[in-house]
Amino acid sequence: MFVERSENGLVVHTPAKINLALEVLGRQTDGYHAVETLLVPVRLFDTLVYSATTDPLQFSLRVASQVENTGLDGPPRDNLAVRAIQRLAAISGHEPSGRICLYKRIPAQAGLGGGSSDAAAALVAANVAWGLGYSRERLSRIAAQIGTDVPFFVVGGAAFGTGRGERLVRAPIPAGMPIVLVQPPVGLSTPKVFESLGLAVGEGLGGGTGRCRKLMNCLRRGLPIQRARPLIRNCLQRSAEKLSCWIARASDVMDRLPVLAHQMTGSGSAYFGICRTWREARLVASRLRMQPWQFVAATQTCR
Ligand code: C5P
């Protein structure tokens, strides 16, 4: 996440993420699923501009792929950046005021963490603009109340996540890994994907296979992706395949392209491939752009 000042206020460029591995261990008593996951930020950024004003909170959205502008409106209640500002205001005693302009490039309902990243950007911006001086740790605890993936973006960098995915430790994953992303024309709902695992409350919760830790160690030691390929797995992919035919389709397409490993990210529906070089990622992306995907990008992991 990069923060800069402009004449319009604070400008925050906030990344997307992919889950290099995701394992579901069981279902907690609070209904959430206990997971282990390896999360890495990728160079695909939303931009949030926050201007501190004394007026009630205003919100405008521009979606890059649709080039639509909803204009300045009252805040939509389901937007995570708006919820983040309202939550921080409630905790700090500050008025939930100001103006959020959000320029979205990260596709929604994709498992790329776009909404969570926007929420983290809003927290970081308001913390500065309101002069709260909260530490990243404190902001991260507030972030966890907004959504599972929000703390990951507040803290920044690659991370190993446990609990429902909100408990994080830094993961030594190299930046600059070439990635190609595709988003099907149909998104997936996170609760529905988790629900279709069919786990009852309290079910499972064993120790898991330790796959995420093993993958983290392989990458730290600089082993080639080909050797780590069996560890690059997402337990939610099967459930997502039951809900959308596009996931298996993405898998088939990637099988026929020069990618080292591929899988769905998070709860989908976006799908990624890891390429040998940046040039190859761009080549694969240009071939995917000839097909009916809603969004295709050549990108890379970042810090
Ligand atoms: O935390 P967040 O609001 O992003 O989660 C959205 C929904 O996804 C939850 O309400 C829950 O249904 C599901 N979920 C889950 N287990 C997780 C994360 C999310 O069941 N570890």
Side-chain angles (χ1 to χ4, degrees):
M1 185 185 291
F2 309 96
V3 186
E4 57 193 21
R5 283 181 195 276
S6 80
E7 58 195 24
N8 294 325
L10 287 159
V11 182
V12 188
H13 305 284
T14 192
K17 60 87 179 159
I18 54 171
N19 300 76
L20 279 182
L22 193 154
E23 186 164 25
V24 177
L25 308 182
R27 193 156 189 187
Q28 303 176 167
T29 46
D30 62 4
Y32 277 91
H33 292 76
V35 301
E36 283 186 357
T37 185
L38 204 49
L39 299 140
V40 193
V42 292
R43 286 193 163 276
L44 169 64
F45 293 92
D46 279 352
T47 302
L48 181 140
V49 183
Y50 179 74
S51 328
T53 69
T54 48
D55 299 328
L57 191 61
Q58 285 192 300
F59 179 80
S60 80
L61 176 71
R62 191 180 151 98
V63 182
S65 54
Q66 294 163 19
V67 196
E68 83 179 23
N69 193 341
T70 63
L72 279 174
D73 279 323
R77 260 173 305 172
D78 57 347
N79 181 279
L80 284 190
V82 170
R83 290 214 335 240
I85 293 280
Q86 288 168 338
R87 187 89 204 117
L88 188 63
I91 288 169
S92 66
H94 197 282
E95 281 300 315
S97 56
R99 177 185 288 197
I100 301 172
C101 294
L102 186 55
Y103 188 80
K104 280 206 76 66
R105 298 179 194 82
I106 307 172
Q109 292 208 309
L112 292 166
S116 304
S117 192
D118 302 339
L123 283 179
V124 168
N127 183 41
V128 174
W130 299 349
L132 299 178
Y134 288 1
S135 66
R136 287 279 164 130
E137 288 69 32
R138 186 161 181 195
L139 277 187
S140 171
R141 284 196 296 275
I142 298 168
Q145 300 170 20
I146 297 155
T148 301
D149 286 335
V150 186
F152 168 74
F153 294 103
V154 168
V155 173
F160 174 62
T162 56
R164 62 182 156 101
E166 88 291 13
R167 276 190 233 139
L168 304 166
V169 290
R170 254 187 183 287
I173 309 290
M177 201 189 282
I179 301 286
V180 64
L181 288 173
V182 286
Q183 159 79 347
V186 185
L188 278 170
S189 135
T190 302
K192 281 193 183 145
V193 174
F194 272 104
E195 208 50 57
S196 79
L197 286 169
L199 287 175
V201 169
E203 192 178 338
L205 301 174
T209 63
R211 195 158 22 86
C212 294
R213 269 182 208 284
K214 285 182 204 154
L215 178 59
M216 186 164 66
N217 288 334
C218 284
L219 296 173
R220 180 174 48 204
R221 284 160 49 211
L223 291 184
I225 288 293
Q226 293 93 314
R227 294 223 1 230
R229 189 160 37 196
L231 302 170
I232 299 176
R233 269 200 57 207
N234 180 346
C235 270
L236 294 176
Q237 190 161 326
R238 278 267 171 79
S239 318
E241 280 170 7
K242 285 189 238 157
L243 299 171
S244 167
C245 61
W246 286 96
I247 308 303
R249 196 160 163 181
S251 172
D252 288 347
V253 166
M254 290 278 189
D255 267 341
R256 284 181 264 117
L257 289 167
V259 297
L260 301 174
H262 59 81
Q263 73 175 14
M264 190 180 81
T265 173
S267 56
S269 61
Y271 203 95
F272 68 90
I274 305 174
C275 297
R276 195 162 300 135
T277 61
W278 171 236
R279 202 184 123 112
E280 215 155 74
R282 283 183 28 211
L283 209 84
V284 169
S286 65
R287 285 172 63 181
L288 288 164
R289 283 197 188 98
M290 293 173 198
Q291 300 172 8
W293 302 102
Q294 180 167 298
F295 174 87
V296 176
T299 179
Q300 51 188 283
T301 57
C302 61
R303 288 186 201 290

